[in-house]
Amino acid sequence: MALPLGILLLSGEHERAHYALVLATGAAALGRDVTLFATNAGCRLFLASQPLVAEPREALLAGRGVAGIATLLDAAAELGIRRIACEAGLRAEAIPAAGLLSGIEAAGVVTFLGAVGEGQIVTL
């Protein structure tokens, strides 16, 4: 059985957020348990207003046949990826938990580490 994968998203930049979703969905498609934990500016990925979807890079990716953030967020939900916004990160960025997409948990780093256990953690 494959070890769980934890993805720690620290950055709110489009490229890092996009690739966090690529890694998460790829690992989940292979049958791994995946937890995507966003903190600080990385919490932007989980905003209901989806500011990253409005960035020019999304159109570039779509034009080249690459799944964008909106598609990957839907896939993450369908694949059962646990998606957590860090409570401290939300406070640091002045993001209310009510402003998050449906299905996103607000929890702390202990919850993230507990979910990953002896698995691997990738930081972006």
Side-chain angles (χ1 to χ4, degrees), residues 6 15 18 29 32 37 44 49 60 77 91-92 95 97 109 112 114:
E15 286 184 75
H18 179 260
R32 291 183 74 176
F37 184 78
R44 292 181 64 219
S49 61
L60 175 78
R91 282 195 302 275
I95 297 171
V109 71
F112 172 61

Side-chain angles (χ1 to χ4, degrees), residues 8-11 37-47 84-97 100 105-109:
L8 173 59
L9 178 62
L10 300 167
S11 172
F37 184 78
T39 190
N40 297 326
C43 292
R44 292 181 64 219
L45 174 62
F46 296 145
L47 286 172
I84 303 173
C86 176
E87 291 171 324
L90 290 171
R91 282 195 302 275
E93 298 296 316
I95 297 171
L100 299 176
E105 292 177 59
V109 71

Side-chain angles (χ1 to χ4, degrees), residues 43-69:
C43 292
R44 292 181 64 219
L45 174 62
F46 296 145
L47 286 172
S49 61
Q50 296 190 319
L52 296 177
V53 172
E55 292 197 13
R57 185 154 176 81
E58 282 289 293
L60 175 78
L61 292 174
R64 294 181 178 169
V66 176
I69 285 178

